[in-house]
């Protein structure tokens, strides 16, 4: 008996009891859909809660303090080039903290007494690392700056487009010399995540830092005050020496890459630290949650297997005479077994396909409806991109495999029974 003939036999018998077959497939589809939807909640919450956190710079950043073989010496350009070359590194950022206030003013408002800190950064690298703005844009020219959210008490975005006046302090002998500079404010940094923090910094690019250092004659605009002691002047770096790198962070492409990158640069002799490993327990918790939800969903598929077993048992009983005829003309028991396994497998596949389509529809509906429900009844706004239900391809494949496996196991007993039917009794319909 050819395989095509076996399929034709299965289709022919399926048409005889459409209502029973429909209810069996429906039960299988419901079980499969329940499995996918239930487990998808675990995947969705994992992505929304954990992935949104780990994609934050706080977690993907690896702080690099220095090299083992040079003690407390700052990192150099060669070190920065090496860190940038490490595989899966998204960006390498740093902070150059200027050693004088620059006495900034905006529209006549003196900010020098506000505890303002001037910081030079590489905006190209900062953009890759996720430098967030409250308003405006990142600097494109050397004379453009971004201000901290707290530099202006209210509506800091009102200063976008304004000119900031700066003064670089230097000494000629005993005499103070102030050299004026101007910078255009083009953006406002996002507010600190902690409410009690205040960001009163001025963020400038390397081009403006180069100009300030040229005027000051020192790295990071250190002040060569003749009244300072030799020990205090030792902290000032001459402009002839390389600029020291401060607050260096290696930003990984994702939290999953942090551990590997940290180990790589540690083996290269760099002291570093990251908090990403502390999220391991959270990931374990969500993994257990996914397994638990998947287990509960699998039970629903197992319940549906009872319907498949009953359907196949009835099919064996109803087709006893057909089985007797096939045996009488020489059909091998394995062929008869295969016929019933094909039918039960077909029920499992059909139920899995329908259940998967339904599950995707429910997932889309839940993701669309839940934000509206929460905003309406709880008056809370969910983060952008938050999803409650996520169905990865692996979950779909797992659900289809479970559905097919359960269907085949449910049909195995009736199929084995079909091979044991006595030919004479079957032909007499005495079963």
């Amino acid at each position: 008996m050819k395989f095509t003939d076996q399929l034709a036999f299965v289709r022919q018998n399926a048409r005889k009891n459409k209502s029973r077959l429909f209810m069996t497939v429906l039960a299988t589809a419901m079980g499969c859909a329940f499995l996918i939807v239930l487990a998808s909640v675990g995947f969705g919450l994992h992505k929304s809660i954990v992935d949104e956190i780990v994609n934050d710079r706080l977690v993907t950043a690896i702080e690099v303090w220095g090299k083992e073989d040079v003690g407390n010496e700052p990192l150099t350009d060669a070190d920065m080039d090496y860190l940038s070359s490490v595989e899966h590194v998204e960006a390498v950022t740093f902070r150059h903290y200027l050693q004088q206030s620059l006495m900034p003013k905006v529209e006549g408002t003196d900010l020098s007494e506000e505890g303002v800190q001037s910081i030079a950064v590489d905006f190209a690298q900062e953009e890759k690392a996720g430098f967030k703005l409250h308003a405006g844009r990142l600097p494109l020219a050397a004379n453009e700056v971004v201000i901290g959210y707290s530099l202006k008490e209210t509506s800091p975005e009102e200063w976008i487009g304004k000119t900031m006046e700066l003064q670089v302090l230097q000494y000629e002998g005993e005499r103070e010399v102030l050299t004026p500079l101007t910078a255009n404010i083009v953006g406002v940094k996002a507010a600190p995540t902690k409410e009690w923090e205040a960001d009163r910094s001025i963020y400038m690019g390397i081009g403006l830092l180069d100009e300030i250092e040229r005027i000051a004659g020192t790295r990071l605009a250190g002040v060569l005050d003749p009244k300072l002691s030799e020990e205090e002047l030792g902290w000032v770096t001459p402009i002839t020496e390389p600029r020291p790198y401060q607050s260096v962070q290696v930003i990984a492409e994702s939290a999953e890459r942090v551990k590997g990158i940290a180990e790589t640069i540690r083996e290269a002799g760099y002291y570093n630290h990251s908090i990403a490993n502390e999220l391991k327990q959270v990931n374990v918790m969500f993994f257990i949650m996914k397994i638990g939800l998947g287990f509960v969903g699998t039970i629903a598929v197992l319940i549906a297997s009872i319907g498949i077993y009953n359907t196949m048992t009835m099919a064996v009983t109803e087709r006893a005479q057909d089985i007797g005829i096939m045996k009488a003309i020489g059909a091998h028991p394995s062929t008869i077994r295969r016929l019933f396994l094909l039918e039960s497998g077909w029920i499992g596949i059909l139920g899995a396909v329908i259940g998967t389509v339904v599950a995707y529809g429910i997932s889309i509906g839940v993701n669309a409806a839940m934000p509206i429900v929460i905003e309406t009844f709880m008056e809370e706004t969910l983060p952008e991109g938050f999803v409650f239900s996520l169905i990865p391809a692996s979950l779909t494949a797992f659900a289809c495999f479970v559905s097919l496996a359960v269907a085949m196991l449910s049909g195995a007993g009736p199929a084995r029974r079909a091979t044991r039917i006595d030919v004479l009794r079957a032909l007499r319909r005495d079963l």
Side-chain angles (χ1 to χ4, degrees), residues 41 43-53 286 363 366-372 374-375 381-390:
V41 174
F43 283 95
L45 292 180
H46 189 185
K47 177 177 178 57
S48 298
I49 296 176
V50 176
D51 288 0
E52 289 298 322
I53 295 175
F286 271 98
S363 178
V366 167
N367 288 330
M370 286 302 293
I372 299 174
I374 290 177
E375 291 176 9
T381 301
L382 292 173
E384 184 178 354
F386 192 97
V387 293
F388 289 89
S389 174
L390 175 67

Side-chain angles (χ1 to χ4, degrees), residues 145-385:
V145 297
V146 170
I147 62 173
Y149 183 84
S150 309
L151 194 60
K152 188 177 186 294
E153 291 186 1
T154 59
S155 304
E157 63 273 7
E158 293 179 355
W159 275 358
I160 294 178
K162 305 297 182 181
T163 299
M164 176 178 287
E165 300 174 7
L166 305 172
Q167 296 192 76
V168 183
L169 172 64
Q170 62 182 144
Y171 277 85
E172 292 182 358
E174 299 287 335
R175 185 171 64 91
E176 290 186 359
V177 178
L178 295 174
T179 304
L181 282 177
T182 59
N184 298 322
I185 300 174
V186 297
V188 178
K189 196 174 185 296
T193 54
K194 299 177 181 177
E195 295 181 359
W196 60 87
E197 289 185 345
D199 184 2
R200 297 186 177 90
S201 302
I202 300 171
Y203 300 89
M204 64 181 69
I206 301 302
L208 184 55
L209 174 62
D210 289 337
E211 178 64 15
I212 293 173
E213 287 182 335
R214 184 190 65 78
I215 295 172
T218 57
R219 291 299 184 190
L220 305 181
V223 179
L224 294 171
D225 188 340
K227 297 187 290 293
L228 297 177
S229 64
E230 290 187 6
E231 182 179 355
E232 291 172 321
L233 289 173
W235 291 98
V236 179
T237 305
I239 198 169
T240 54
E241 295 185 10
R243 181 184 295 145
Y245 283 94
Q246 303 168 333
S247 301
V248 175
Q249 288 188 336
V250 174
I251 311 299
E253 293 176 352
S254 64
E256 290 76 14
R257 302 292 188 184
V258 170
K259 184 178 180 181
I261 294 173
E263 291 177 351
T264 298
I265 62 179
R266 188 176 292 112
E267 291 173 359
Y270 292 88
Y271 296 110
N272 65 82
H273 175 262
S274 171
I275 68 171
N277 291 338
E278 298 174 14
L279 286 176
K280 186 180 296 183
Q281 293 181 349
V282 178
N283 288 325
V284 170
M285 181 190 70
F286 271 98
F287 179 72
I288 295 173
M289 177 182 176
K290 293 174 188 176
I291 293 177
L293 293 174
F295 177 76
V296 174
T298 302
I299 292 176
V301 180
L302 291 175
I303 294 173
S305 70
I306 299 175
I308 299 176
Y309 181 85
N310 289 335
T311 298
M312 298 311 300
T313 300
M314 292 295 295
V316 171
T317 303
E318 293 171 352
R319 300 170 198 167
Q321 190 175 36
D322 294 337
I323 297 171
I325 293 173
M326 285 190 290
K327 279 193 167 186
I329 61 176
H332 196 275
S334 62
T335 302
I336 297 173
R337 184 186 304 111
R338 190 181 305 115
L339 286 172
F340 288 93
L341 289 177
L342 278 174
E343 186 168 347
S344 61
W346 181 74
I347 293 174
I349 292 174
L350 189 58
V353 171
I354 297 174
T356 300
V357 173
V358 171
Y360 272 97
I362 293 175
S363 178
I364 295 172
V366 167
N367 288 330
M370 286 302 293
I372 299 174
V373 172
I374 290 177
E375 291 176 9
T376 301
F377 293 98
M378 301 184 64
E379 297 182 354
E380 294 287 342
T381 301
L382 292 173
E384 184 178 354

